[in-house]
């Protein structure tokens, strides 16, 4: 840690905090933090090595960060012509199945999971394409009537079959084809090969210039836009309005548009104006005629679930209605109820187009939906597997101001009175201050432990824990929240000097495991019965992946 201590002592002599971030990022690119080295080795199965090696030689914007303006429909945006030419060389596989395309700032993955589950329950063979993944890239492609990740054998076999086309495209496109473009093309080719009945496809970035946006109006059954929030601002034009315009790019001529929301009025106007210009009927999940609510929270095997009523009555554009009482949803929180309503509206719009989807399939699909790392409470057995047998642990990949608000709502809904510790790691291109202020301004945590993890298998987008803590210090000061900095003296010494503190404790941990133990020790000092305490792990799906890795072994 000497190099960071030197940097920190000279912090005031630097031109700006961004200079320090730049310096520390360069140090991390060398793979060094204290005495630890970050591995960039792939965790994929040996059968996929040839494919993953191929992908690793392509530009990976999840690892590097997205360029300014890349998701906008402008000269700075990703080249959709390149993607369309790649699909043409592969025989336009996306034309051989029907699709539902989902864009939005938050809620895309959950909505995709809800809708896919509904369709599978009805008996359809479903291809589901999402990102990112937690442990293996195979998780991004779910197939068949059971929704299992594609097998390594099938994925590698297809790659070998199309490799010559990929190589040709790489050369013809001046070596500019990206990791996400190639994997998206392979996924759609696989869906065509497997003769899926329908594909549910999550956009990666924005919509208009996203690699997934290759569907024509004849191939698309519905577009879904879940939410509009301030994520990837620089890549999507710098404002909520530009983000809305980018995401509205998935709307196709005369195809129904499902709006999740709720949206700010001027943002909804942008989406509605685009739909109107395309002659696309609109289905609003936030329509006044929809009366959905969380009635109760119950628990089974130590995990909470919510009892919900979902009542939809839409009369404009399309006439859709359903009444579902006492739906038992394991994905908890008001935001997950909104995602479920959005998916239900999409299912009803498909039914309106002649797809066989019963009310019973919608109910069971919602009740069986589960998405790792999103509003996920660990069972006692799972908590034991990650090293904290007696703790209650919530993992959630929240990393924006809006998702932090949803996380807080979930905590208030499920454990409103429990002592709370947050364990946080984030990428360096997120709004750390806004995230911290949101989590400090509602249910004030007893402790916040900042740590760090690799982002997309690399360290170039990692935020050092010491810098992340500075954002939380600033947030606490701006909000007037009393805090105490644990420093580097250790939990025991801190508790000995501070006693049973009544302020927020801010500390850092060198690893997720160490941070969890620090959080647990601090909470046990506040409430000896650790089962009555809650540790929430958040800030990135990558910290979730790191924590849950023992469950995969």
């Amino acid at each position: 840690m000497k190099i960071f201590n030197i940097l920190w002592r000279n912090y005031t002599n630097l031109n700006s905090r961004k200079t320090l971030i730049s310096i520390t990022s360069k140090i991390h690119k060398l793979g060094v933090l204290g005495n630890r080295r970050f591995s960039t080795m792939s965790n994929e199965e040996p059968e996929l090595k040839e494919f993953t090696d191929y992908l690793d030689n392509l530009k990976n914007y999840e690892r590097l960060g997205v360029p300014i303006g890349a998701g906008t429909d402008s000269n700075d945006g990703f080249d959709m012509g390149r993607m369309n030419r790649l699909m043409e060389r592969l025989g336009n596989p996306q034309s051989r199945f029907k699709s539902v395309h989902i864009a939005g700032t938050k809620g895309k993955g959950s909505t995709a999971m809800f809708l896919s589950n509904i369709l599978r329950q009805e008996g359809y063979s479903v291809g589901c394409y999402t990102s990112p993944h937690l442990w293996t890239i195979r998780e991004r492609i779910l197939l068949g009537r059971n929704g299992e990740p594609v097998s390594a054998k099938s994925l590698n076999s297809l790659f070998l079959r199309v490799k010559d086309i990929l190589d040709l495209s790489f050369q013809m496109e001046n070596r500019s084809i990206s990791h996400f473009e190639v994997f998206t093309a392979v996924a759609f080719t696989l869906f065509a090969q497997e003769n899926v009945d329908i594909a549910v496809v999550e956009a990666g970035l924005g919509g208009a210039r996203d690699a997934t946006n290759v569907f024509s109006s004849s191939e698309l059954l519905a577009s879904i836009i879940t939410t509009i929030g301030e994520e990837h601002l620089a890549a999507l034009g710098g404002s909520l309005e530009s983000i809305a315009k980018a995401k509205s790019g998935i709307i196709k001529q005369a195809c129904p548009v499902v709006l999740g929301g709720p949206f700010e009025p001027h943002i909804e106007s942008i989406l509605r104006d685009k739909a109107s210009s395309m002659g696309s009927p609109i289905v609003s999940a936030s329509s006044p005629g929809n009366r959905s609510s969380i009635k109760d929270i119950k628990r089974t095997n130590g995990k909470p679930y919510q009892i919900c009523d979902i009542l939809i009555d839409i009369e404009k554009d399309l006439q859709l209605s359903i009444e579902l009482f006492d739906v038992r949803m394991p994905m908890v929180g008001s935001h997950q109820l909104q995602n479920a309503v959005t998916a239900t509206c999409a299912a009803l719009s498909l039914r309106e187009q002649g797809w066989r989807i019963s009310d019973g399939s919608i109910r069971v699909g919602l009740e069986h939906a589960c998405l790792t790392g999103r509003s996920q409470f660990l069972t006692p057995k799972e908590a034991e597997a990650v090293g904290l047998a007696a703790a209650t642990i919530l993992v959630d990949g929240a990393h924006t101001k809006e998702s932090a608000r949803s996380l807080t709502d979930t905590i208030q809904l499920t454990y409103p009175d429990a002592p709370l510790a947050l364990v946080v790691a984030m990428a360096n291109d997120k709004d750390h201050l806004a995230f911290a202020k949101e989590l400090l301004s509602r249910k004030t945590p007893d402790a916040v432990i900042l740590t760090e993890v690799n982002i997309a298998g690399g360290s170039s987008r990692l935020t050092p824990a010491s810098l992340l803590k500075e954002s939380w210090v600033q947030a606490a000061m701006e909000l007037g929240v009393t805090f105490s900095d644990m420093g580097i003296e250790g939990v025991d010494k801190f508790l000995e000097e501070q006693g049973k503190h009544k302020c927020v404790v801010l500390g850092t941990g060198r690893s997720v495991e160490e941070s969890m133990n620090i959080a647990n020790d601090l909470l046990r000092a506040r409430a000896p019965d650790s089962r009555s305490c809650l540790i929430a792990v958040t800030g990135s799906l990558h910290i979730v992946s790191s924590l849950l890795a023992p469950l995969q072994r």
Side-chain angles (χ1 to χ4, degrees):
M1 294 296 291
K2 287 184 179 179
I3 192 166
F4 283 104
N5 290 335
I6 293 171
L7 282 171
W8 194 249
R9 284 198 300 271
N10 289 279
Y11 176 71
T12 55
N13 295 324
L14 296 172
N15 291 330
S16 69
R17 187 170 178 269
K18 290 184 178 179
T19 306
L20 182 56
I21 293 175
S22 175
I23 294 172
T24 51
S25 294
K26 289 177 182 177
I27 293 169
H28 280 284
K29 286 180 182 178
L30 297 175
V32 180
L33 178 61
N35 294 319
R36 293 181 291 130
R37 286 195 177 272
F38 291 99
S39 171
T40 57
M41 297 282 290
S42 172
N43 292 323
E44 302 292 345
E45 297 89 339
E47 301 97 313
L48 281 180
K49 187 177 188 307
E50 190 170 359
F51 185 30
T52 54
D53 285 349
Y54 188 93
L55 291 173
D56 284 344
N57 287 320
L58 305 175
K59 283 186 179 179
N60 185 346
Y61 293 108
E62 290 177 32
R63 182 177 297 174
L64 300 173
V66 185
I68 293 174
T72 60
D73 198 8
S74 69
N75 291 335
D76 296 321
F78 286 131
D79 183 0
M80 285 304 297
R82 180 176 66 219
M83 185 64 189
N84 286 321
R85 290 188 293 271
L86 173 59
M87 299 307 293
E88 287 173 6
R89 296 183 189 110
L90 290 168
N92 283 319
Q94 77 280 6
S95 67
R96 292 163 53 190
F97 51 85
K98 299 295 185 181
S99 298
V100 175
H101 201 186
I102 306 176
T105 302
K106 302 303 298 180
K108 298 188 297 293
S110 297
T111 302
M113 187 60 65
F114 281 128
L115 181 58
S116 297
N117 257 24
I118 290 168
L119 293 166
R120 290 190 201 102
Q121 184 62 34
E122 192 61 51
Y124 293 112
S125 176
V126 181
C128 184
Y129 182 62
T130 61
S131 59
H133 61 273
L134 291 178
W135 300 289
T136 168
I137 203 165
R138 296 189 298 108
E139 298 166 25
R140 299 186 180 210
I141 304 175
L142 305 182
L143 283 168
R145 287 178 169 80
N146 295 320
E148 296 293 331
V150 60
S151 70
K153 181 178 179 181
S154 295
L155 188 54
N156 197 61
S157 175
L158 176 62
F159 164 67
L160 294 176
R161 183 163 64 81
V162 301
K163 184 177 182 297
D164 288 346
I165 298 175
L166 298 177
D167 288 341
L168 174 65
S169 296
F170 188 65
Q171 295 302 322
M172 293 185 69
E173 302 293 346
N174 297 316
R175 307 172 68 86
S176 58
I177 292 180
S178 70
H179 180 292
F180 188 71
E181 288 168 336
V182 166
F183 196 76
T184 298
V186 168
F188 292 174
T189 304
L190 187 66
F191 290 161
Q193 174 184 290
E194 295 297 317
N195 294 313
V196 300
D197 297 315
I198 186 171
V200 178
V201 176
E202 175 188 345
L205 176 76
R209 293 297 184 97
D210 189 76
T212 61
N213 195 28
V214 293
F215 301 107
S216 68
S217 57
S218 63
E219 296 154 2
L220 196 65
L221 294 170
S223 301
I224 302 174
I225 300 176
T226 56
T227 60
I228 300 295
E230 294 181 350
E231 186 179 16
H232 301 302
L233 270 172
L236 294 175
S239 69
L240 277 180
E241 292 80 5
S242 64
I243 291 173
K245 289 176 182 177
K247 295 186 186 298
S248 72
I250 69 168
I251 297 174
K252 299 295 189 295
Q253 191 73 37
C255 293
V257 180
V258 179
L259 300 181
F263 303 98
E264 294 182 19
H266 71 291
I267 296 300
E268 184 163 343
S269 292
I270 292 173
L271 303 177
R272 286 184 174 274
D273 287 348
K274 179 60 180 288
S276 177
S277 72
M278 303 294 284
S280 301
I282 296 173
V283 176
S284 175
S286 300
S287 169
N290 300 342
R291 303 180 308 281
S292 301
S293 62
I294 300 172
K295 297 166 63 177
D296 198 6
I297 296 292
K298 295 186 179 296
R299 288 172 174 77
T300 179
N301 194 22
K303 297 179 66 170
Y305 63 92
Q306 57 192 23
I307 307 294
C308 304
D309 287 345
I310 296 177
L311 309 176
I312 293 172
D313 186 14
I314 295 172
E315 296 182 350
K316 190 175 180 180
D317 286 3
L318 297 178
Q319 294 186 349
L320 309 175
S321 64
I322 192 171
E323 292 186 348
L324 299 174
F325 297 98
D326 297 327
V327 180
R328 300 159 63 95
M329 285 179 49
M331 295 176 67
V332 298
S334 57
H335 64 299
Q336 293 296 5
L337 174 58
Q338 182 66 21
N339 292 333
V341 171
T342 302
T344 300
C345 286
L348 293 175
S349 74
L350 297 184
R351 186 160 74 184
E352 180 72 11
Q353 296 177 62
W355 287 69
R356 182 192 70 253
I357 302 174
S358 69
D359 289 5
S361 292
I362 294 175
R363 172 187 290 275
V364 176
L366 298 178
E367 291 187 335
H368 288 183
C370 195
L371 195 57
T372 302
R374 281 80 159 183
S375 305
Q376 179 186 0
F377 287 87
L378 303 192
T379 66
K381 185 176 181 180
E382 290 169 337
E384 182 178 5
V386 301
L388 291 176
T392 298
I393 301 174
L394 166 62
V395 293
D396 190 273
H399 53 267
T400 67
K401 176 177 66 175
E402 294 82 6
S403 57
R405 185 178 305 129
S406 296
L407 173 60
T408 304
D409 288 343
T410 298
I411 292 170
Q412 291 278 41
L413 185 67
T414 54
Y415 289 91
D417 301 318
L420 170 67
L422 304 174
V423 175
V424 182
M426 300 185 76
N428 61 15
D429 56 354
K430 305 304 177 186
D431 191 339
H432 305 148
L433 179 61
F435 187 81
K437 290 176 75 170
E438 193 65 46
L439 287 170
L440 286 175
S441 63
R442 312 197 60 192
K443 176 179 170 59
T444 305
D446 295 88
V448 180
I449 309 301
L450 294 315
T451 187
E452 51 208 42
V453 292
N454 283 356
I455 305 296
S459 57
S460 61
R461 290 178 59 214
L462 176 154
T463 303
S466 57
L467 292 184
L468 193 56
K469 186 169 73 171
E470 285 302 300
S471 294
W472 285 78
V473 169
Q474 181 180 346
M477 293 178 67
E478 289 185 10
L479 293 171
V481 173
T482 304
F483 68 93
S484 180
D485 188 344
M486 194 175 75
I488 59 172
E489 56 192 3
V491 177
D492 292 340
K493 186 175 180 181
F494 176 81
L495 291 175
E496 181 181 329
E497 294 180 356
Q498 298 289 326
K500 291 190 176 181
H501 41 273
K502 296 298 182 184
C503 58
V504 179
V505 180
L506 297 178
T508 60
R510 291 170 296 180
S511 66
V512 178
E513 180 182 11
E514 180 182 72
S515 300
M516 293 291 289
N517 286 325
I518 292 171
N520 192 48
D521 289 345
L522 289 171
L523 287 182
R524 288 184 59 151
R526 174 68 59 87
D529 180 8
S530 59
R531 287 172 298 183
S532 67
C533 302
L534 178 64
I535 301 176
V537 181
T538 189
S540 166
L541 280 174
H542 302 285
I543 187 175
V544 170
S545 172
S546 178
L547 176 70
L548 299 184
L551 304 183
Q552 296 299 109
R553 294 168 189 157

